[in-house]
Amino acid sequence: MIQIDTYGTLVAATLVLILGRKCVQSVGVLRKYTIPESVVGGLLVALLLLAINQFTGTDIDFDMSLREPLMLAFFATIGLNANLASLRSGGRTLILLICVVTGLLVLQNIIGIGMAKMLGLNPLMGLLTGSITLTGGHGTGATWSKVFVEQYGFRNATEVAMACATFGLVLGGLLGGPIARFLLSRCAVPGGVADDTADPMLFEKPGAAREITPLIFVETIALIAICLSAGRFVSDLMQGSSLEVPTFVYVLFIGVILSNTLSWLGFYRVFEHAVSILGNVSLSLFLAMALMSLKLWEIASLALPIMAIMFVQTVTMALYAIFITYRVMGKNYDAVVLASGHCGLGLGATPTAIANMQAVTQRFGPSHLAFLVVPMVGAFFIDIVNVIVIKLFLLLPIYA
């Protein structure tokens, strides 16, 4: 066993991100399907550690003490950038999309748990192969897997969660384009050219140049620290009660309340650029640490069951986008773009959804409505609704 301390782990995480960036820049298929740099680099390191373990018997163990604070900081930035006035502007379409997304969350968990029981696996694995990782992504998967390890004794939960989230990320990017092409034959196409003024949330543009002063940076760090401290305090108060949920939910809510209250009072306005930069840094380092520490040899026996469940979930997503999302959202061009984006949200992550929609709009014309509501749902509402759905499913008496 080789132990890597906190500083060494931080160095390794940054190198993972640099390695991932080089790979994404060099390999066209990785750019095409918007695979995150942290995922690419982290999985390459995990594969390297697998080879070292198999050929030498050596197990390299990283100090993960920074992982949880980084994850909580990311969710704090999501809350701090959630402007309630902007969230209301989506109106009826926003509410409809939230309902559609919620229906898929429930369906994914029913399928995941049902198939896990059918294959003789732990029902918790059904939740991990359901909305936790497919709609929630790597961050939510890592968070809930920690809960499953500590409270339910599901030893390989983290490895399963990271594997499912990675599969989902790729499948979500692969599915959006074909679904859009299929649906475009059933509605009128507006024509025209893509509108470059369509501006997704700042979290979807991590490479954009932003002017930030040292004072603004310090103020933003202070806001994030307040969210983490207050969120942890509330989480401790709720521990053991019926309102107990993972700490990141409380942190996110504190961020929403803090930023909107300060803005409403006219006392201070959150600087969104600084928040988005710190959010992207926190998420990237968190994912790099989570993925590079995977012990892939511990989930080898689960590879076939995971692939079987992923196949069914992918087919379900395709059918849901065609027969539910497209029809409920209006059976028009905007609905096509929203269905394509939902494939990214339902199997991958918000950036995958944006990439799916951009591929459609660049060829067939803009969809202002889709670019307004999908980032809102993907970066804020989906996490809250997903927590509620997961919490309800955990009340089922099947996890003993």
Side-chain angles (χ1 to χ4, degrees), residues 1 15 41 43 58 109 153 169 216 220 225 253 347 368 376:
M1 172 74 73
L15 292 177
L43 287 179
T58 303
N109 288 332
L169 197 68
I216 289 174
T220 304
F253 269 116
L347 290 177
H368 298 294
M376 290 182 185

Side-chain angles (χ1 to χ4, degrees), residues 27-42:
V27 182
V29 69
L30 298 178
R31 293 195 305 274
K32 181 178 180 180
Y33 296 117
T34 62
I35 308 301
E37 297 158 3
S38 54
V39 174
V40 174

Side-chain angles (χ1 to χ4, degrees), residues 141-152:
T143 302
W144 279 101
S145 63
K146 182 174 181 289
V147 174
F148 289 174
V149 171
E150 295 176 353
Q151 297 185 16
Y152 295 88

Side-chain angles (χ1 to χ4, degrees), residues 249-325:
V249 180
Y250 299 117
V251 171
L252 188 150
F253 269 116
I254 295 296
V256 174
I257 294 170
L258 180 62
S259 64
N260 285 276
T261 300
L262 290 175
S263 177
W264 179 69
L265 293 175
F267 177 72
Y268 179 82
R269 183 173 180 82
V270 172
F271 195 73
E272 294 179 349
H273 290 174
V275 172
S276 65
I277 285 179
L278 286 170
N280 282 310
V281 170
S282 299
L283 179 62
S284 296
L285 288 173
F286 164 70
L287 290 178
M289 290 183 180
L291 288 164
M292 73 185 190
S293 61
L294 290 180
K295 300 183 186 300
L296 297 177
W297 56 91
E298 294 184 356
I299 61 168
S301 62
L302 298 175
L304 287 178
I306 288 177
M307 292 180 67
I309 298 175
M310 288 295 102
F311 174 77
V312 175
Q313 294 282 25
T314 302
V315 172
T316 301
M317 179 71 256
L319 296 175
Y320 195 93
I322 293 170
F323 294 104
I324 304 297
T325 308

Side-chain angles (χ1 to χ4, degrees), residues 109-399:
N109 288 332
I110 291 173
I111 291 172
I113 293 174
M115 289 200 66
K117 296 285 285 184
M118 186 187 308
L119 296 170
L121 302 172
N122 189 331
L124 289 172
M125 184 171 172
L127 285 179
L128 288 176
T129 55
S131 71
I132 288 179
T133 59
L134 297 184
T135 299
H138 288 86
T140 304
T143 302
W144 279 101
S145 63
K146 182 174 181 289
V147 174
F148 289 174
V149 171
E150 295 176 353
Q151 297 185 16
Y152 295 88
F154 187 3
R155 189 167 57 89
N156 296 329
T158 300
E159 287 78 5
V160 171
M162 292 300 102
C164 293
T166 301
F167 278 131
L169 197 68
V170 176
L171 294 170
L174 289 170
L175 193 61
I179 293 299
R181 285 194 292 270
F182 176 80
L183 292 174
L184 282 169
S185 65
R186 287 161 167 73
C187 72
V189 179
V193 295
D195 184 359
D196 292 334
T197 63
D199 184 21
M201 293 185 68
L202 292 170
F203 280 102
E204 319 314 329
K205 294 185 175 181
R210 299 159 197 174
E211 296 181 0
I212 299 174
T213 66
L215 178 59
I216 289 174
F217 212 74
V218 171
E219 291 171 348
T220 304
I221 292 175
L223 290 173
I224 293 174
I226 291 172
C227 293
L228 266 61
S229 299
R232 174 66 69 183
F233 176 76
V234 176
S235 178
D236 290 341
L237 284 179
M238 297 299 176
Q239 192 168 7
S241 71
S242 59
L243 296 178
E244 181 182 2
V245 294
T247 305
F248 78 85
V249 180
Y250 299 117
V251 171
L252 188 150
F253 269 116
I254 295 296
V256 174
I257 294 170
L258 180 62
S259 64
N260 285 276
T261 300
L262 290 175
S263 177
W264 179 69
L265 293 175
F267 177 72
Y268 179 82
R269 183 173 180 82
V270 172
F271 195 73
E272 294 179 349
H273 290 174
V275 172
S276 65
I277 285 179
L278 286 170
N280 282 310
V281 170
S282 299
L283 179 62
S284 296
L285 288 173
F286 164 70
L287 290 178
M289 290 183 180
L291 288 164
M292 73 185 190
S293 61
L294 290 180
K295 300 183 186 300
L296 297 177
W297 56 91
E298 294 184 356
I299 61 168
S301 62
L302 298 175
L304 287 178
I306 288 177
M307 292 180 67
I309 298 175
M310 288 295 102
F311 174 77
V312 175
Q313 294 282 25
T314 302
V315 172
T316 301
M317 179 71 256
L319 296 175
Y320 195 93
I322 293 170
F323 294 104
I324 304 297
T325 308
Y326 172 67
R327 297 188 178 191
V328 171
M329 302 312 298
K331 294 193 292 185
N332 52 23
Y333 178 69
D334 284 329
V336 172
V337 181
L338 286 167
S340 175
H342 193 195
C343 291
L345 284 179
L347 290 177
T350 305
T352 310
I354 298 297
N356 285 351
M357 295 192 301
Q358 286 175 337
V360 178
T361 56
Q362 283 172 1
R363 181 175 179 183
F364 298 102
S367 174
H368 298 294
L369 189 62
F371 277 89
L372 173 66
V373 299
V374 168
M376 290 182 185
V377 173
F380 179 65
F381 287 108
I382 203 170
D383 288 317
I384 298 172
V385 175
N386 201 14
V387 166
I388 296 172
V389 171
I390 294 166
K391 194 71 176 177
L392 291 174
F393 270 90
L394 283 174
L395 296 177
L396 297 175
I398 59 175
Y399 307 105

